[in-house]
Amino acid sequence: MITVRVFRDGVADEGTIEPSQIAECLAKDDAFVWFDASAPTADDIAALGQAFNLHPLTLEDIGHRRQRPRVELFEHYAFITLRPLTLNEKLVEHELHVVVGSRFMGTLRYGPEPYPVDEVVKRWERQPELLKTDPGAFAVYVLFDEIVDGYLTIVEQLEDKADDLEDLVFADDPSIDGSQIQERIFLVKREVVKLRRFASPMRQGLDLLQEQPGFVQATLLPYFRDVTEHAIRVFELADNIRDVLTSLLELRVAQVANHLNVVMKKLTAWAGILLVPTLIAGIYGMNFRNMPELGWRFGYAGALIVMGGSAFALYVMFKKKDWL
Amino acid sequence: MITVRVFRDGVADEGTIEPSQIAECLAKDDAFVWFDASAPTADDIAALGQAFNLHPLTLEDIGHRRQRPRVELFEHYAFITLRPLTLNEKLVEHELHVVVGSRFMGTLRYGPEPYPVDEVVKRWERQPELLKTDPGAFAVYVLFDEIVDGYLTIVEQLEDKADDLEDLVFADDPSIDGSQIQERIFLVKREVVKLRRFASPMRQGLDLLQEQPGFVQATLLPYFRDVTEHAIRVFELADNIRDVLTSLLELRVAQVANHLNVVMKKLTAWAGILLVPTLIAGIYGMNFRNMPELGWRFGYAGALIVMGGSAFALYVMFKKKDWL
Amino acid sequence: MITVRVFRDGVADEGTIEPSQIAECLAKDDAFVWFDASAPTADDIAALGQAFNLHPLTLEDIGHRRQRPRVELFEHYAFITLRPLTLNEKLVEHELHVVVGSRFMGTLRYGPEPYPVDEVVKRWERQPELLKTDPGAFAVYVLFDEIVDGYLTIVEQLEDKADDLEDLVFADDPSIDGSQIQERIFLVKREVVKLRRFASPMRQGLDLLQEQPGFVQATLLPYFRDVTEHAIRVFELADNIRDVLTSLLELRVAQVANHLNVVMKKLTAWAGILLVPTLIAGIYGMNFRNMPELGWRFGYAGALIVMGGSAFALYVMFKKKDWL
Amino acid sequence: MITVRVFRDGVADEGTIEPSQIAECLAKDDAFVWFDASAPTADDIAALGQAFNLHPLTLEDIGHRRQRPRVELFEHYAFITLRPLTLNEKLVEHELHVVVGSRFMGTLRYGPEPYPVDEVVKRWERQPELLKTDPGAFAVYVLFDEIVDGYLTIVEQLEDKADDLEDLVFADDPSIDGSQIQERIFLVKREVVKLRRFASPMRQGLDLLQEQPGFVQATLLPYFRDVTEHAIRVFELADNIRDVLTSLLELRVAQVANHLNVVMKKLTAWAGILLVPTLIAGIYGMNFRNMPELGWRFGYAGALIVMGGSAFALYVMFKKKDWL
Amino acid sequence: MITVRVFRDGVADEGTIEPSQIAECLAKDDAFVWFDASAPTADDIAALGQAFNLHPLTLEDIGHRRQRPRVELFEHYAFITLRPLTLNEKLVEHELHVVVGSRFMGTLRYGPEPYPVDEVVKRWERQPELLKTDPGAFAVYVLFDEIVDGYLTIVEQLEDKADDLEDLVFADDPSIDGSQIQERIFLVKREVVKLRRFASPMRQGLDLLQEQPGFVQATLLPYFRDVTEHAIRVFELADNIRDVLTSLLELRVAQVANHLNVVMKKLTAWAGILLVPTLIAGIYGMNFRNMPELGWRFGYAGALIVMGGSAFALYVMFKKKDWL
């Protein structure tokens, strides 16, 4: 579904225009044209290409999903791939292809749930002076900023999950299945690594955009630096969580090894405690004719006492050695 | 088997020419000569050397197989080693040596199954305008692009395999032999590492070609940047899969350690459950004359009950402790 | 709580001024204004922004906690985030936001226990000549220096803790719960990693400040180099402790594996020592009519001797093999 | 043993000259002097120093063995340390010190088996035109090339060994002692790491030589680039083998952990299968007077059937659970 | 204890002078003043500061111990921290603070056993021509060279220790306590890491000194390059030993896992061998009235044979499976 809107002097025109009217609009100096296609079809992409005169390579690349975030510079525009994440009950991975020039922007929002841009548009409208002087750069800055802020929310949530896992590992509660903790560590780690992989190329992308001559004007430079800084923060937080989770898994493996030791000590101790009286019972179960103890009055009681005593002695010894 | 074809103004001449006619062809400004040898013999290589006036070092290096992908610049040409992978029922590793100048290209395709270039030629013919203005660079770009696209297909397949392995590890199905999973992880990881090793030098190679003065003209620059971007994508995907597989193997090792704990707890529990009644039976198997219980009417039944009761009590205890 | 103080020629004026008087003060050439807010409210931040004419982005970023240490340069000031640590019975993590220009500094000290700056002010007063010639740079240098010195104190303490853990691991005292050591290693390591993460961006921050044209004058350069050197020292010490702790955990895991071997050898040995006499007792407990040994005079004694002898022989054998 | 030979216009003079005649020779423009000492004595080194007017530091460094490969530039010569490996039935490590100027080269070949240079000389004679125009650079190029080719041969052999080890690990043959495989992996890895350590500084060395102004002339540049490329190939192959061996050891450790699980399951299963009938036998071995089953006609047969039946049932159960 | 000596034209004056005379000495062009304080007091440091007009920051930094090796440049001198190691029966760690200008050097030698400088002075006297032309740089070069040579001696010794440990691991002698080997590996690794940490900043330090304009003259450049090269050699050797030790510990852990497998197989095998005859004995110990075998003449002998036979059969089977 294509929507094309025009902004003049930082303020949105009422209503939308047709893609075919874009060229006419761009001919005038004061307009900023935003072409948005959610769940775009091949026709939508062709319309976009024609409207902004895109390079055939861009159109070809737009056709592929699951790309890594990146910025590719062309003569009069930049082609940007973004991978926003939103958290709406559950984590949703989006893919967004953007072409942006000084005075136009095209956004293609893929997937079953296209990335919502309402918030982005609202922020454009909140700072019309910036949208007026440097529309393309400002529009793309807001988009990056929203996405990186989304990453920050998610990375902080993953940090909480990592903290919970740390508590769980430290509790070392035997009633929790060990594999389960390890599997949860693995899953959180994978999310963190994905976030890191999405945030890391953001920085290079932002640097590239700033190098595009005449694209980002001086007023916007602090904004680009700021969002870059936030992307680095996401990256470093993710890095840090990853390291903690790796250490945590190591700790968990060490704990499991300790548990095995404890179990084996118990096995050894109980085997000893049971086998010694069993041996004594075996001895008095022998059928030798000449076994004086068998005739003793308190022979049986004595045997029971010896059996109990030896078991008790072993029990005390193992307790002392902390095997039980 | 040598095939020499001539392209004029981006369009292929009918038929082929002899290697000896190449020099004559190159003397004219508008021709692009393509020398192709599949499963080349020493004679073929010598013919190639003579046709394009190659440096003796190139001819010597051409003689060696299993080289890493690379680009080496000489005065009037570049010597390129490529390692395409194709997936045709099973994964086939090819080796391709290329010499390319502004207006000629030589391809040597080795191996029992030489890398197929039909698709490459078709793509040349589809964009005659590019083959006309900058034939060498365009021809080599298409070759790189085809190979990197092949890598992308394979890396995505390996990603699927890694996902399957992840499911398998998470299922933690005891009926699957543990070693088998680990071995499969190892094998996929090895493929991924190979792909990474092949894709990584592609980037430097493409950079080198762009630095060769006058070789790549402005029109083709976006194309070279695009294929470079795809090579990076292969590299990063491979990197990512490798990390996931490494974590997966760690998780698997942790699972195995957990399983051992479970087995040992079971062993300990069952040993206790069986050894306690055995001890009791042993006691009443002793031959002391004075053992009052032996004469009791319900002595035997009582003993059985004590035996069963103690076993049951232990069973319940171990169940509660989650050892069974 | 806002406190605004004015320094003239490196010497503090008596009393404080109102935020609204700052602009007037800065208009005169000789004054250095210090705006300090401990546990600042939104109003305090707004006052700060107005007093020093801060960029809206700075004010927005000031609103977020748990940022990584960094320096962001604006036209007439630098925005600095710092994460001091103090050790006052227990480790306290602070957060400090600083804006600093050539002749003014604003400090926002967050958290339940704001970072104490008394020591910083004392050091300003001790070197009035530096505070006079280059007030902003000197003021911020002292702040960095105090924080890095705090890190040094803490990193040296963590080094002592790591040494203690090393002694504990080497003692290999079986009465200490193995998991406990591993958990303590993990906790110290986490502290070390945090310190490293805080100290590392200090260096880039200090470099950035020195690059701000005209901010740091020649007299102060050795001071900035010195504090940078100290930050590197913290970073390297932390790195080193981390490596030692990693090796220590590996050693610990190896020890646990060894212990398991020792326990299993003991189990095997004792099982053998007890089961062999049990078998012999079982043999003479059989009810065959024709068992000549049963009638022998010293049959019972002989059986006991054989049982004891075999147990003793096994004991000696296992002792020799070092299994017991 | 010193041998001094003179090459004029790329062709070797008949016979040898005395070290004392070198200065005279070098005075003439067309000569290239090669001073070779195999298993050199202190006198030989002094003679070399005098002949080519070497810096005292070079002479001091020449006195030490087991240095890492490197190139050190002096005013009129380069001092090169090389560590060739040859494979002659078994792997031999050599050490070679070389001083090379535009028109002279000195080689000191140490060790019980000095590195053979016959092949190097033969290659000089094969390209007299290069030895004529740029004798020092060409002579040293051939030396590097021969050594790097030696590395390539060896690295390919180590690759074969790694492949064999991989097969061995995958066979997972229980009759092979596990430790042995791990030790073999360790040993091959050590060789690979050594090769990597020798090949890696080759590259920097070659770069340094090319930077020595006027030493390497344009004609030779492709040759230096070529040998650099080969050194990189050795390095990357070694790196790759090392990674495979590391993964292989991990796989092996995981296999061993799996085996332990298998053994423990078997132990548990067999213990159960044997202990249950033992308990039953114990029960009917009790001496209670009132045990009706003892008088039954088929009591004994019934007991045997119950024992066998329970053992068989357990066996089937464990088989199903894949513990046996 | 302060000693101040003066060198004129590279030759030492007889006797020593007072610190107060230093200024006078430096006023003359030909003198090189060496101020040495072993186990310096606060007064000694103050005297040094006054004699050479040191920056207050230098004096403050001199007050701290356990610093990392480094070079800090000031206007007319460099402040150098060094951490020599000497091996005199046991390893001694020293700390040395040096300030060096073109014509003066101050050395502060700390610790219970200050670093001995006799050898350094002897080497100064051996090359008076260098001490004459560039006294400060030459003096400090000799100091670095002596220290790095000390490192080389120690790193080679650690290499020998690592070789011994390798032999020990390969011997895999069961009579050696496993933990002990691992602990020894850990200790050697720690020494190696320390050496690496001391040697690594040497290089940057030496580079910094060469960048100090006018400090190191052309004659001395090869000497500085040479000692840099030696520092790199120490660093790389240490790196290499560290890698070997890491692999060795991995191998050791793998061995321990193998041993456990062996022990468990033995336990399983022996348990089977003993429990089967025990079961048979239990069967014939049952008290059924109707057990025909009990009345057989050779019943007992037969039972013994069956018991021995089954044990022997199991023994052979386990031997074949290599479990015993």
Side-chain angles (χ1 to χ4, degrees), chain D residues 202-274:
Chain D
M202 287 296 215
R203 191 187 180 167
Q204 292 106 288
L206 286 160
D207 286 350
L208 257 183
L209 284 177
Q210 290 176 63
E211 286 167 19
Q212 171 95 314
F215 183 62
V216 181
Q217 290 167 23
T219 340
L220 276 176
L221 279 178
Y223 291 87
F224 273 83
R225 268 207 306 268
D226 193 65
V227 70
T228 307
E229 176 63 38
H230 291 181
I232 297 174
R233 199 177 148 204
V234 169
F235 179 83
E236 296 207 341
L237 268 173
D239 227 43
N240 188 40
I241 301 172
R242 197 188 52 162
D243 285 357
V244 166
L245 290 175
T246 301
S247 291
L248 211 54
L249 189 59
E250 281 167 20
L251 175 56
R252 183 70 200 148
V253 168
Q255 276 182 346
V256 168
N258 268 323
H259 290 178
L260 186 60
N261 264 6
V262 169
V263 170
M264 294 319 295
K265 283 177 176 172
K266 283 203 170 135
L267 169 58
T268 304
W270 283 116
I273 291 172
L274 289 173

Side-chain angles (χ1 to χ4, degrees), chain E residues 167-183:
Chain E
D167 291 346
L168 219 62
V169 168
F170 269 77
D172 200 4
D173 181 347
S175 75
I176 297 167
D177 180 9
S179 296
Q180 204 195 323
I181 294 181
Q182 289 148 21
E183 285 161 15

Side-chain angles (χ1 to χ4, degrees), chain B residues 61 66 68 70 73 178-179 182-183 190 197 260 264 278 284-287 294 297 300 307, chain D residues 159 166 225-226 229-230 233 236 240 254-255 258 261 264 279 283 286-291 293:
Chain B
D61 275 349
R66 289 174 71 197
R68 63 180 207 106
R70 74 173 201 266
L73 297 184
S179 295
Q182 290 147 20
E183 283 162 16
R190 232 187 33 171
R197 215 156 35 88
L260 186 59
M264 294 319 294
T278 301
Y284 292 109
M286 293 195 295
N287 295 320
L294 297 182
R297 192 172 171 190
Y300 176 45
M307 285 157 81
Chain D
E159 204 175 19
E166 201 178 310
R225 268 207 306 268
D226 193 65
E229 176 63 38
H230 291 181
R233 199 177 148 204
E236 296 207 341
N240 188 40
Q255 276 182 346
N258 268 323
N261 264 6
M264 294 319 295
L279 173 57
I283 288 171
M286 292 195 295
N287 296 319
F288 288 101
R289 230 149 285 160
N290 183 20
M291 289 176 71
E293 299 96 321

Side-chain angles (χ1 to χ4, degrees), chain E residues 13 15 30 34 127 187 208 255 290 305:
Chain E
D13 279 9
D30 58 345
W34 174 43
Q127 290 181 286
L187 288 176
L208 258 184
Q255 276 183 346
N290 183 21
I305 287 166

Side-chain angles (χ1 to χ4, degrees), chain E residues 261-280:
Chain E
N261 263 6
V262 169
V263 171
M264 294 319 295
K265 283 178 176 171
K266 283 202 170 137
L267 170 59
T268 305
W270 283 115
I273 290 172
L274 289 172
L275 286 178
V276 166
T278 301
L279 173 58
I280 296 168

